[in-house]
Amino acid sequence: MGRRNDEVEALLQEYADLILLTGGDAYRARSYEKAARAVGGHPGDVAHLDVKGLQEIPGVGKSIAAKIAEYLATGHLPAVDQLREKVPAGVREIMAIPGVGPKKAAVLHRDLGISSVAELLDAARADRLSEVPGFGERSAENILHGIEVLGQSGGRVLLNTATELAEEIVAELSRVPGCERCAYAGSLRRMRETIGDIDVLAAAEDSAPLMEALTALPYAADVIGHGTTKTSIRTTKGMQVDLRVVPADAWGAAMVYFTGSKAHNIRLRTRAVKAGLKLSEYGLFEVESGRKVVSASEEEVYAALGLPWIPPTLREDRGEIDAALRGELPEVVTERDVRGDLHTHTDLTDGLAPLEEMLATAAERGYAYYAVTDHAPNLYMQRMTDEKMLAQRQQVRELDRRFKGMRVLHGTELNIDPDGGVDWPPEFLAGFDLCVASVHSHFRAGRDAQTRRLVRACENPYVHIIGHPTTRLLGRRPGLDVDLDEVFAACARTGTVLEINASPERLDLNDEQILAARRHGVRFAVDSDAHSPLHLANLRYGIGTAQRGWLTKDDVINTWTWTRLRRLLNSVPSDSG
């Protein structure tokens, strides 16, 4: 199903982890990690490449290319299978706990004989981790929290994974004869950050061909239920997909019914009851006569309930119905409103593609401006130097003249140090068009220290944007322990912009944090944080998150015209409003 890049990326990353777990060479492991990221970010489907073609992917050498080709041909990689046999499955599960990783998992197994998450939980509660070299005073606390974070994922998948699968299923079912309409609904349409299962809705007179088509998909591993109105499957990746088929004239009511959260739908049904109506997936009906009032479109259903159409991303019962009744529902930002991307990377640091390739893809997206923001020198593994950055700046200036119609900005992603300082002195920072500042280390400092750290970064006159403000990685790393209200107040005071990082692993800030920051009057940038041309398209997930935070295009600076954005970038933060 779809591109096999993600599958190969996961395999190579697992191989890298297994090398570390079994005491193998760290440099070799890093080679596989780099190759994994390169395959994941490659725009084409690796399944269509031979060994020679695979070697053209940056970071994929001859040996790794041969292994990928072997896996694609056979579905197995003996080198990985052999290492799996040496490591208990439970140890691999421990490795997935936020804050643990392969090296610590190996030490725990070697020194304490811990081979499962349950055993680790017992050891942490019994304070046995302090016996292990390299585990500090807060190790037990951090691991307990990591186990809790891992448990919260509960089999849910990232938004992009669910979206790609849903779009493929909708495309397949739309080709079935007799299918009049097909779309996904549920929490995926509301663009929740993680998805438990996928709801697909189709309209047809005869449901049988659609139900058969769903169960015949090559990645349908199990048929959970099969009926005339609903069929459910579990895919080979463990994801449940529910297909419901309704008559074409019930489409609007069904989309309303299967999109809104439970709480939102209760509010709608309560309004219907007060008006003597009943709302179901088949329409809005008069209770006494049973006459159908409306059902064909969502707009008709909402209008019959005295409401304007409410965007799917707002249907969470967080005040959207009351706002609609007052005529105060926001016109939420859309991807069409975006004029540029202000946080991206190239292969000068940890990106996968050269600058010109990133710019060409951005130009194809119709951007009016685009910022390259490679990492600064305090992120030592990226080996940035003043000379490299100045050479890139010269290249950017030359390309800015070549890419007519798209301004090319030279920026950087600075590292916010534990005390809130950043890379480079003021005179060097003054040469950048744009500075994003992000936390990349010292995640476990106390709440007061983290808060002071971020506030000081906001107060730096050369910092325009705070990147991925909480640093969370969904299902892998919790956000910083920080007083966000104090940070939001500092941003409002200094005019510093907060990022909504569109990487599906981050979506940072999240929707609730955006709502809180918005109340302080903060402005936002929705950025892809792209490390390859393919990642530029992730902006859609950041926009969905921005919508869930009730943002309009005026709230998001990279929807502004270049003239307006330039005034913000050139102003002293405290004067930028």
Side-chain angles (χ1 to χ4, degrees):
M1 57 184 253
R3 300 181 334 128
R4 297 191 67 184
N5 299 42
D6 292 345
E7 179 184 342
V8 174
E9 178 184 13
L11 180 78
L12 295 177
Q13 182 59 58
E14 182 187 3
Y15 192 24
D17 292 338
L18 288 169
I19 290 170
L20 293 175
L21 275 170
T22 54
D25 180 61
Y27 178 80
R28 185 163 174 255
R30 283 196 296 272
S31 296
Y32 279 93
E33 287 177 353
K34 183 178 180 181
R37 289 194 304 107
V39 168
H42 184 67
D45 188 346
V46 294
H48 300 148
L49 300 177
D50 58 15
V51 172
K52 186 176 179 181
L54 289 166
Q55 285 182 253
E56 293 178 4
I57 300 174
V60 176
K62 184 176 181 180
S63 174
I64 296 177
K67 286 183 172 64
I68 294 172
E70 181 179 9
Y71 175 75
L72 291 171
T74 66
H76 294 282
L77 190 57
V80 173
D81 294 337
Q82 290 167 12
L83 289 184
R84 282 173 178 162
E85 292 177 2
K86 296 180 179 180
V87 180
V91 177
R92 298 203 298 273
E93 292 174 9
I94 290 170
M95 182 182 66
I97 296 170
V100 178
K103 290 183 179 178
K104 287 186 177 179
V107 171
L108 289 167
H109 180 58
R110 183 193 68 208
D111 291 6
L112 295 181
I114 293 174
S115 299
S116 70
V117 174
E119 290 176 0
L120 178 57
L121 187 62
D122 290 341
R125 287 171 174 168
D127 197 27
R128 291 175 55 212
L129 301 186
S130 57
E131 306 168 13
V132 182
F135 284 75
E137 294 180 5
R138 297 185 60 187
S139 292
E141 178 186 340
N142 292 331
I143 284 175
L144 287 171
H145 185 60
I147 293 172
E148 180 183 353
V149 170
L150 187 67
Q152 286 171 352
S153 64
R156 299 177 70 85
V157 302
L158 297 180
L159 178 58
N160 64 319
T161 301
T163 300
E164 290 165 8
L165 174 59
E167 288 178 343
E168 184 169 347
I169 291 172
V170 166
E172 291 288 341
L173 296 182
S174 296
R175 289 192 280 267
V176 174
C179 179
E180 298 185 39
R181 302 184 74 168
C182 189
Y184 56 79
S187 61
L188 180 56
R189 190 174 177 223
R190 301 199 310 276
M191 298 202 78
R192 291 279 302 273
E193 61 192 29
T194 60
I195 307 298
D197 51 50
I198 294 173
D199 295 299
V200 177
L201 192 63
E205 289 186 16
D206 182 6
S207 66
L210 284 160
M211 301 306 191
E212 292 302 322
L214 180 70
T215 59
L217 289 172
Y219 40 85
D222 299 300
V223 178
I224 302 169
H226 196 309
T228 57
T229 60
K230 177 184 176 183
T231 292
S232 300
I233 64 167
R234 182 169 287 107
T235 71
T236 51
K237 295 294 180 67
M239 193 113 209
Q240 181 170 326
V241 180
D242 299 324
L243 170 64
R244 294 174 173 87
V245 180
V246 298
D249 64 359
W251 178 260
M255 284 298 281
V256 169
Y257 193 86
F258 291 116
T259 293
S261 70
K262 181 179 179 181
H264 177 87
N265 287 351
I266 288 173
R267 291 289 302 275
L268 293 183
R269 290 199 296 271
T270 299
R271 287 189 64 78
V273 169
K274 289 181 179 178
L277 303 171
K278 178 183 178 182
L279 178 63
S280 75
E281 63 265 46
Y282 297 106
L284 189 64
F285 300 88
E286 290 180 347
V287 172
E288 289 190 6
S289 67
R291 182 182 70 87
K292 182 186 289 186
V293 179
V294 289
S295 64
S297 74
E298 287 192 310
E299 289 82 358
E300 289 177 348
V301 174
Y302 276 103
L305 294 172
L307 296 165
W309 179 80
I310 297 176
T313 45
L314 299 188
R315 300 180 197 177
E316 295 285 0
D317 191 30
R318 293 196 288 204
E320 69 276 6
I321 291 176
D322 292 335
L325 291 170
R326 296 192 305 268
E328 298 174 358
L329 202 64
E331 186 175 341
V332 290
V333 63
T334 69
E335 194 172 1
R336 291 187 302 275
D337 296 322
V338 175
R339 296 172 184 261
D341 201 328
L342 301 178
H343 180 178
T344 68
H345 296 275
T346 75
D347 60 0
L348 183 63
T349 55
D350 59 345
L352 303 172
L355 176 58
E356 287 195 58
E357 189 176 337
M358 297 295 290
L359 292 178
T361 306
E364 289 172 5
R365 293 177 64 84
Y367 285 158
Y369 44 81
Y370 179 89
V372 53
T373 55
D374 275 319
H375 289 289
N378 288 359
L379 197 62
Y380 300 111
M381 68 187 74
Q382 303 306 332
R383 300 180 180 180
M384 178 55 70
T385 64
D386 295 9
E387 292 74 21
K388 285 182 180 180
M389 190 57 85
L390 291 173
Q392 185 187 62
R393 183 172 300 167
Q394 180 62 33
Q395 184 186 15
V396 164
R397 299 295 179 243
E398 293 170 0
L399 290 169
D400 181 47
R401 291 188 289 271
R402 190 186 310 172
F403 279 87
K404 299 185 185 303
M406 184 177 77
R407 296 304 308 266
V408 185
L409 310 181
H410 188 237
T412 184
E413 184 179 10
L414 302 166
N415 305 285
I416 302 176
D417 294 338
D419 64 356
V422 298
D423 324 62
W424 285 310
E427 58 270 20
F428 197 91
L429 293 176
F432 289 104
D433 299 318
L434 170 73
C435 290
V436 179
S438 309
V439 171
H440 293 111
S441 64
H442 299 85
F443 303 119
R444 296 175 185 170
R447 184 178 181 84
D448 290 344
Q450 296 287 25
T451 303
R452 286 194 303 271
R453 177 187 197 181
L454 285 172
V455 168
R456 186 181 172 206
C458 293
E459 293 170 344
N460 187 314
Y462 296 97
V463 171
H464 298 97
I465 300 171
I466 301 295
H468 45 76
T470 77
T471 79
R472 74 164 183 180
L473 293 173
L474 286 164
R476 292 165 49 201
R477 184 172 73 211
L480 300 174
D481 182 10
V482 62
D483 185 342
L484 284 174
D485 276 326
E486 191 171 335
V487 175
F488 298 157
C491 287
R493 183 178 73 251
T494 62
T496 309
V497 175
L498 284 175
E499 182 176 74
I500 301 168
N501 189 292
S503 168
E505 295 184 338
R506 291 188 184 274
L507 297 180
D508 179 13
L509 298 168
N510 68 25
D511 53 353
E512 293 181 356
Q513 293 159 351
I514 294 166
L515 285 164
R518 185 172 177 264
R519 289 192 287 269
H520 283 270
V522 173
R523 282 174 170 156
F524 305 84
V526 182
D527 299 323
S528 68
D529 194 1
H531 286 65
S532 80
L534 191 69
H535 295 158
L536 291 173
N538 284 341
L539 197 84
R540 66 190 292 197
Y541 305 116
I543 289 294
T545 303
Q547 290 180 351
R548 290 178 59 80
W550 290 47
L551 296 188
T552 68
K553 65 180 181 179
D554 193 56
D555 296 314
V556 179
I557 67 167
N558 51 314
T559 69
W560 295 359
T561 63
W562 166 239
T563 301
R564 185 182 180 191
L565 178 63
R566 182 174 56 189
R567 284 199 300 268
L568 174 68
L569 297 180
N570 290 342
S571 67
V572 177
S574 59
D575 295 333
S576 65

